[in-house]
Amino acid sequence: MDEACRDRSVRKLDMAIIIGGAIIPNRMEWIQRAIKLAQVNSGLGRPQLPLIDVDMPRKRRRLDHVPELLFAPQPIPTLAEAPSVDRYLTAQRESPFVIRSYLNEGGQSVWPAIQRWNDPGYLLSQVGRGRCVPVEEGSSYDDSDWGQRIVPFEEFLARAGFPGLCTGTMNPSRHRPMYLAQHSLFRQFPELEQDMSLPDYVSSAPPATASFPSYHPPDTKDGVIVNVWVGSGSGEIVSPAHTVSWESILPNADL
């Protein structure tokens, strides 16, 4: 199988996951096997590391004007340490709170993704070449020129902070911000799920709070939805103020 044929085959299989949902029993397993088979037969499956040497920018863009900050009358507290599940259920679940460094080395729930996902070679070695992902284009979903597109995974990584991945097969002229948002990334790329774990709070099944007595968890097999948000960085992506329908844990990592 040549590279062009490989790319077409893998893209169609990814589209079956992204758009079709692969909802028929066993279809997801079949699609994942077919993707790996196409990658192996092309000789361009999982590349050996290191794939490339990329100098990741570490500094944030300087703001020439700092807007006036608006503070909530009831600021969200930052806890000195993560509460136990018992304390969470008895004292913390009624209101939001912040835990610093919870996922970093030295925290109580270390995620390998914090280190591994800094390396585009690692990401590509796990999922293989030719994959594609759905992204939002534009700074905010309420912008007039906001849109959605399915792009090669390597093109998204190049726009998200690894410019050394740009090749002749990509379009480096597209400079609009890209946002991989609310996507079941681990369903499409189960190889990456090993790099994270669900905090114990997710499995504690807290009852509805007094402020939201009609609350019910997501209608899934385990009552949990796992999504991934990855933006192009440098403050390009803005999410307008909004609410969500479920109790949420929002791990935040500046990779």
Side-chain angles (χ1 to χ4, degrees), residues 83-95 204 206-207:
S84 66
V85 173
D86 287 341
R87 177 166 177 76
Y88 162 70
L89 290 173
T90 58
Q92 302 293 159
R93 69 180 180 86
E94 289 281 350
S95 58
S204 63

PDB file of all heavy atoms in Angstrom, residues 83-95 204 206-207:
ATOM      1  N   PRO A  83      -8.732  17.046  49.109  1.00  0.00           N
ATOM      2  CA  PRO A  83      -9.512  16.398  50.172  1.00  0.00           C
ATOM      3  C   PRO A  83      -9.693  14.915  49.891  1.00  0.00           C
ATOM      4  O   PRO A  83      -9.668  14.472  48.742  1.00  0.00           O
ATOM      5  CB  PRO A  83     -10.848  17.142  50.126  1.00  0.00           C
ATOM      6  CG  PRO A  83     -10.964  17.612  48.705  1.00  0.00           C
ATOM      7  CD  PRO A  83      -9.560  17.929  48.270  1.00  0.00           C
ATOM      8  N   SER A  84      -9.859  14.154  50.950  1.00  0.00           N
ATOM      9  CA  SER A  84     -10.182  12.739  50.787  1.00  0.00           C
ATOM     10  C   SER A  84     -11.563  12.623  50.150  1.00  0.00           C
ATOM     11  O   SER A  84     -12.335  13.588  50.120  1.00  0.00           O
ATOM     12  CB  SER A  84     -10.170  12.035  52.140  1.00  0.00           C
ATOM     13  OG  SER A  84     -11.217  12.529  52.955  1.00  0.00           O
ATOM     14  N   VAL A  85     -11.879  11.444  49.644  1.00  0.00           N
ATOM     15  CA  VAL A  85     -13.196  11.242  49.045  1.00  0.00           C
ATOM     16  C   VAL A  85     -14.288  11.465  50.086  1.00  0.00           C
ATOM     17  O   VAL A  85     -15.326  12.075  49.795  1.00  0.00           O
ATOM     18  CB  VAL A  85     -13.293   9.834  48.426  1.00  0.00           C
ATOM     19  CG1 VAL A  85     -14.724   9.561  47.958  1.00  0.00           C
ATOM     20  CG2 VAL A  85     -12.332   9.687  47.254  1.00  0.00           C
ATOM     21  N   ASP A  86     -14.067  10.995  51.319  1.00  0.00           N
ATOM     22  CA  ASP A  86     -15.067  11.188  52.373  1.00  0.00           C
ATOM     23  C   ASP A  86     -15.299  12.669  52.639  1.00  0.00           C
ATOM     24  O   ASP A  86     -16.443  13.124  52.776  1.00  0.00           O
ATOM     25  CB  ASP A  86     -14.626  10.487  53.661  1.00  0.00           C
ATOM     26  CG  ASP A  86     -14.743   8.977  53.570  1.00  0.00           C
ATOM     27  OD1 ASP A  86     -15.486   8.498  52.682  1.00  0.00           O
ATOM     28  OD2 ASP A  86     -14.089   8.280  54.372  1.00  0.00           O
ATOM     29  N   ARG A  87     -14.185  13.438  52.727  1.00  0.00           N
ATOM     30  CA  ARG A  87     -14.350  14.868  52.986  1.00  0.00           C
ATOM     31  C   ARG A  87     -15.011  15.554  51.794  1.00  0.00           C
ATOM     32  O   ARG A  87     -15.831  16.470  51.962  1.00  0.00           O
ATOM     33  CB  ARG A  87     -13.002  15.522  53.280  1.00  0.00           C
ATOM     34  CG  ARG A  87     -13.118  17.028  53.483  1.00  0.00           C
ATOM     35  CD  ARG A  87     -11.892  17.656  54.088  1.00  0.00           C
ATOM     36  NE  ARG A  87     -12.039  19.092  54.198  1.00  0.00           N
ATOM     37  CZ  ARG A  87     -12.777  19.710  55.119  1.00  0.00           C
ATOM     38  NH1 ARG A  87     -13.438  19.006  56.030  1.00  0.00           N
ATOM     39  NH2 ARG A  87     -12.853  21.035  55.133  1.00  0.00           N
ATOM     40  N   TYR A  88     -14.659  15.122  50.598  1.00  0.00           N
ATOM     41  CA  TYR A  88     -15.294  15.695  49.417  1.00  0.00           C
ATOM     42  C   TYR A  88     -16.807  15.498  49.471  1.00  0.00           C
ATOM     43  O   TYR A  88     -17.580  16.431  49.222  1.00  0.00           O
ATOM     44  CB  TYR A  88     -14.720  15.049  48.159  1.00  0.00           C
ATOM     45  CG  TYR A  88     -15.571  15.240  46.927  1.00  0.00           C
ATOM     46  CD1 TYR A  88     -15.695  16.490  46.327  1.00  0.00           C
ATOM     47  CD2 TYR A  88     -16.276  14.172  46.370  1.00  0.00           C
ATOM     48  CE1 TYR A  88     -16.488  16.678  45.205  1.00  0.00           C
ATOM     49  CE2 TYR A  88     -17.069  14.342  45.251  1.00  0.00           C
ATOM     50  CZ  TYR A  88     -17.175  15.596  44.670  1.00  0.00           C
ATOM     51  OH  TYR A  88     -17.969  15.766  43.568  1.00  0.00           O
ATOM     52  N   LEU A  89     -17.241  14.299  49.825  1.00  0.00           N
ATOM     53  CA  LEU A  89     -18.674  13.997  49.855  1.00  0.00           C
ATOM     54  C   LEU A  89     -19.401  14.728  50.977  1.00  0.00           C
ATOM     55  O   LEU A  89     -20.572  15.083  50.831  1.00  0.00           O
ATOM     56  CB  LEU A  89     -18.883  12.485  50.000  1.00  0.00           C
ATOM     57  CG  LEU A  89     -18.509  11.637  48.776  1.00  0.00           C
ATOM     58  CD1 LEU A  89     -18.586  10.152  49.101  1.00  0.00           C
ATOM     59  CD2 LEU A  89     -19.422  11.966  47.595  1.00  0.00           C
ATOM     60  N   THR A  90     -18.712  14.963  52.086  1.00  0.00           N
ATOM     61  CA  THR A  90     -19.382  15.573  53.235  1.00  0.00           C
ATOM     62  C   THR A  90     -19.231  17.085  53.311  1.00  0.00           C
ATOM     63  O   THR A  90     -20.093  17.748  53.913  1.00  0.00           O
ATOM     64  CB  THR A  90     -18.836  14.969  54.544  1.00  0.00           C
ATOM     65  OG1 THR A  90     -17.412  15.173  54.603  1.00  0.00           O
ATOM     66  CG2 THR A  90     -19.134  13.476  54.612  1.00  0.00           C
ATOM     67  N   ALA A  91     -18.163  17.632  52.713  1.00  0.00           N
ATOM     68  CA  ALA A  91     -17.907  19.058  52.943  1.00  0.00           C
ATOM     69  C   ALA A  91     -17.612  19.872  51.690  1.00  0.00           C
ATOM     70  O   ALA A  91     -17.740  21.099  51.731  1.00  0.00           O
ATOM     71  CB  ALA A  91     -16.740  19.213  53.926  1.00  0.00           C
ATOM     72  N   GLN A  92     -17.224  19.246  50.581  1.00  0.00           N
ATOM     73  CA  GLN A  92     -16.734  20.019  49.443  1.00  0.00           C
ATOM     74  C   GLN A  92     -17.614  19.963  48.200  1.00  0.00           C
ATOM     75  O   GLN A  92     -17.464  20.798  47.319  1.00  0.00           O
ATOM     76  CB  GLN A  92     -15.330  19.531  49.050  1.00  0.00           C
ATOM     77  CG  GLN A  92     -14.284  19.611  50.128  1.00  0.00           C
ATOM     78  CD  GLN A  92     -13.922  21.023  50.520  1.00  0.00           C
ATOM     79  OE1 GLN A  92     -13.402  21.274  51.590  1.00  0.00           O
ATOM     80  NE2 GLN A  92     -14.189  21.969  49.651  1.00  0.00           N
ATOM     81  N   ARG A  93     -18.510  19.010  48.102  1.00  0.00           N
ATOM     82  CA  ARG A  93     -19.187  18.784  46.834  1.00  0.00           C
ATOM     83  C   ARG A  93     -20.246  19.830  46.503  1.00  0.00           C
ATOM     84  O   ARG A  93     -20.701  19.913  45.364  1.00  0.00           O
ATOM     85  CB  ARG A  93     -19.828  17.391  46.826  1.00  0.00           C
ATOM     86  CG  ARG A  93     -20.998  17.239  47.769  1.00  0.00           C
ATOM     87  CD  ARG A  93     -21.587  15.828  47.719  1.00  0.00           C
ATOM     88  NE  ARG A  93     -22.724  15.691  48.623  1.00  0.00           N
ATOM     89  CZ  ARG A  93     -23.963  16.016  48.280  1.00  0.00           C
ATOM     90  NH1 ARG A  93     -24.205  16.474  47.060  1.00  0.00           N
ATOM     91  NH2 ARG A  93     -24.943  15.876  49.142  1.00  0.00           N
ATOM     92  N   GLU A  94     -20.636  20.664  47.475  1.00  0.00           N
ATOM     93  CA  GLU A  94     -21.689  21.646  47.232  1.00  0.00           C
ATOM     94  C   GLU A  94     -21.197  22.858  46.451  1.00  0.00           C
ATOM     95  O   GLU A  94     -21.997  23.624  45.919  1.00  0.00           O
ATOM     96  CB  GLU A  94     -22.295  22.109  48.569  1.00  0.00           C
ATOM     97  CG  GLU A  94     -23.138  21.060  49.276  1.00  0.00           C
ATOM     98  CD  GLU A  94     -24.532  20.926  48.684  1.00  0.00           C
ATOM     99  OE1 GLU A  94     -24.908  21.774  47.862  1.00  0.00           O
ATOM    100  OE2 GLU A  94     -25.245  19.967  49.052  1.00  0.00           O
ATOM    101  N   SER A  95     -19.882  23.067  46.378  1.00  0.00           N
ATOM    102  CA  SER A  95     -19.364  24.247  45.698  1.00  0.00           C
ATOM    103  C   SER A  95     -18.023  23.911  45.053  1.00  0.00           C
ATOM    104  O   SER A  95     -17.327  22.990  45.489  1.00  0.00           O
ATOM    105  CB  SER A  95     -19.196  25.404  46.688  1.00  0.00           C
ATOM    106  OG  SER A  95     -18.331  25.044  47.744  1.00  0.00           O
ATOM    107  N   SER A 204     -17.062   8.511  42.959  1.00  0.00           N
ATOM    108  CA  SER A 204     -17.713   8.576  44.272  1.00  0.00           C
ATOM    109  C   SER A 204     -19.223   8.670  44.190  1.00  0.00           C
ATOM    110  O   SER A 204     -19.912   8.500  45.198  1.00  0.00           O
ATOM    111  CB  SER A 204     -17.174   9.779  45.057  1.00  0.00           C
ATOM    112  OG  SER A 204     -17.489  10.996  44.399  1.00  0.00           O
ATOM    113  N   PRO A 206     -21.574  11.141  43.902  1.00  0.00           N
ATOM    114  CA  PRO A 206     -22.245  11.993  44.896  1.00  0.00           C
ATOM    115  C   PRO A 206     -23.711  12.201  44.543  1.00  0.00           C
ATOM    116  O   PRO A 206     -24.073  12.255  43.359  1.00  0.00           O
ATOM    117  CB  PRO A 206     -21.462  13.307  44.804  1.00  0.00           C
ATOM    118  CG  PRO A 206     -20.922  13.313  43.416  1.00  0.00           C
ATOM    119  CD  PRO A 206     -20.596  11.885  43.095  1.00  0.00           C
ATOM    120  N   PRO A 207     -24.572  12.307  45.542  1.00  0.00           N
ATOM    121  CA  PRO A 207     -25.988  12.576  45.260  1.00  0.00           C
ATOM    122  C   PRO A 207     -26.177  14.008  44.786  1.00  0.00           C
ATOM    123  O   PRO A 207     -25.262  14.827  44.848  1.00  0.00           O
ATOM    124  CB  PRO A 207     -26.646  12.351  46.624  1.00  0.00           C
ATOM    125  CG  PRO A 207     -25.563  12.641  47.624  1.00  0.00           C
ATOM    126  CD  PRO A 207     -24.293  12.185  46.984  1.00  0.00           C
TER     127      PRO A 207
END
